[in-house]
Amino acid sequence: MCGIVGYIGTKKASPILINGLLKLEYRGYDSAGISTMEKDSISVMKDKGRVKNLYDLEGINDLKGTVGIAHTRWATHGKPSKENSHPHLDNSNTFCVVHNGIIENYNDLRTFLKDNGYEFYSETDTEVIPNLISYYYKKGNDFLKSVNLACNDLKGSYAIEVICKDMPENMIVARKDSPLVIGKSDDEIFVSSDIPALISFTNTFYFLNDNEIAYISKDNIKFYDNNLNEVSKELTTVELSANSADKDGFEDYMLKEIYEQPKAIRETIGTSLNGSKINFEGLNLTKEYLSKINKIYMVACGTAMHAGLGVKSNFETLCNIPVIVEVASEFRYRNPLIDENTLCIYISQSGETADTIAALKLAKSKGAKTIAITNVIESSITREADYFVYTHAGPEIAVASTKAYTSQLVLLNIMALYFAEILESSTESRIDNIKKEILKLPEKAEEILKDITNIKNIAHEIHSKKTMFYLGRGIDYSVAMEGALKLKEISYIFSEAYPSGELKHGPIALIEKGTSVINILTNSTLVEKSLSNIQEVVTRGATCIIITNQDFDISNFENVIKIPEISALLSPILSVIPLQLLAYYITKEKGLDVDKPRNLAKSVTVE
Ligand code: M6R
């Protein structure tokens, strides 16, 4: 999704802005641009294509300004083009704006501005913003008031940076439902959509809340609410190393992140299982409250939603509470049955996913308690939820989520045990056995990653297939869904997951000689049933790949990927690893960009 960078300081702004944009590339984008405050005017350089192309733009090296704004655009309104790229100027070239988000009432605002003599040169929703600011400015309001009045007219979501020709030492930033952080060092201020883009410059940050505005000069920042009452803010120090997002010798971020899973799992477990009772920092739920819960909603998107599906049964079995897992974009627009006895858990790697945050706000408005699980420190979701808990996967850069998923599963399983301990809804010995198994997960993940020759060979064999099916029963079905998502998003191969038992109800009609079917089989009680499903597709000529930790006669099957033993409850944390690697190596065989698949963004900050 769109990314924003801003700088006010003593150095030349343009290289700092471009460097910041390069760090935001992982979010996904199609155009890039920067704008700096030059002697008597605002200079804008932008085009569709990669950030590095900015270096080739004529005159970019001549920019001397020490105040600037920058943007990577992920097209929503209007195709990728130079005209639609940000920054956007108002008609009088007085204000320049970059914007992340969607202005829902931009058509009305455009009509209003056109009626007042303004012209538009792009198809974007953003272009109304500088012109609206200009409209209020011409009515005699100062810079701050004009931005404030314009923001109050906007419906939808925005994180904006605005510079003004008449106030060359200043910048105004504002946000609503879109991420924005402000970093501060001695005599420099940095703005960005996320912390990792700024961590090589500073580790101290201010965090804006929705509807707040910051008026920035190089040695001072003032914060205001949407009525322009001044608000005070604490500077927060963030512990994140500058090189934690480097490739570390791996060819791609995705491969690096797959290999980081043992560490991510270990760090997510942290010290939570050290004592006799689970220590869950950030949550202090009482037995009285938990006993009243009538149901748990787990709400998320994509891979994070699959993590919810992967723990649903565990929560239900261990805690005796019904769990409903829902896609956030659906949940937010229906009228889910929620009351003060409903607990809603939101899972989001980035903590910025617009649908997930909106679904959280909905549950809060209906009186439910909300818990956010996120991987990004101080992300927006942490400011909305009643409680938040971090997974400790480290920065995830590749668009395809890998280590965040396994960390989410680990954390959610520990949370299920934590609830069960408080509720006394499961026996101590059962809880202890699961804890022991969780502690062995990092080693077992390492074991899978030690020798992946088999997986690479299978990837080579099947990479030219046009369609692939993923089958599983119970918890294996949730992993099948994640495997199919991983493959389709990076390799562009059509892949679909089905519960094995559903085959006969339709999908088996698609099985023919050469179709690839990937089966996940980790539940001892369902082995026989799943094997007969596999036999049915083999008979019809399918190439079967089996991922299993079960003992059965494998002589009938060509491609079996063995994973270490683990109870079915925790098996997704291991069985997903071969699926991630398979998707990765199939994509490499096809010569595609694994880290930045087409049309996708890492952080989906608009709905
Ligand atoms: O940051 P989030 O966890 O909220 O993101 C949710 C999905 O957009 C994300 O998991 C997406 O499905 C990934 N590209 C999957 O690999």
Side-chain angles (χ1 to χ4, degrees), residues 171-224:
M171 177 189 300
I172 292 181
V173 302
R175 69 161 275 184
K176 179 177 170 279
D177 295 331
S178 203
L180 190 90
V181 298
I182 302 172
K184 184 179 179 344
S185 69
D186 289 347
D187 52 0
E188 293 173 303
I189 307 289
F190 305 87
V191 182
S192 174
S193 304
D194 64 30
I195 295 174
L198 299 184
I199 205 72
S200 55
F201 301 115
T202 180
N203 67 345
T204 51
F205 294 90
Y206 289 110
F207 299 100
L208 277 196
N209 292 324
D210 276 348
N211 297 311
E212 286 182 343
I213 293 190
Y215 192 92
I216 308 175
S217 58
K218 78 175 173 341
D219 34 33
N220 190 25
I221 310 180
K222 284 192 168 168
F223 299 96
Y224 302 90

Side-chain angles (χ1 to χ4, degrees), residues 301-304 347-351 353 399-401 408 485-486 489 604:
C301 302
T303 289
I347 314 159
S348 173
Q349 187 287 129
S350 61
T353 302
V399 164
S401 187
Q408 285 157 354
L485 173 61
K486 223 70 316 168
E489 70 177 323
V604 186

Side-chain angles (χ1 to χ4, degrees), residues 194-265:
D194 64 30
I195 295 174
L198 299 184
I199 205 72
S200 55
F201 301 115
T202 180
N203 67 345
T204 51
F205 294 90
Y206 289 110
F207 299 100
L208 277 196
N209 292 324
D210 276 348
N211 297 311
E212 286 182 343
I213 293 190
Y215 192 92
I216 308 175
S217 58
K218 78 175 173 341
D219 34 33
N220 190 25
I221 310 180
K222 284 192 168 168
F223 299 96
Y224 302 90
D225 65 15
N226 58 350
N227 293 318
L228 289 190
N229 298 311
E230 206 170 326
V231 286
S232 62
K233 276 195 189 289
E234 297 284 320
L235 199 56
T236 309
T237 303
V238 171
E239 303 302 336
L240 190 71
S241 76
N243 61 4
S244 51
D246 287 348
K247 281 193 200 150
D248 240 349
F250 284 90
E251 218 174 302
D252 319 87
Y253 282 114
M254 182 177 174
L255 192 61
K256 176 193 172 220
E257 288 160 8
I258 291 174
Y259 272 84
E260 279 174 344
Q261 289 180 107
K263 180 169 174 251
I265 296 171

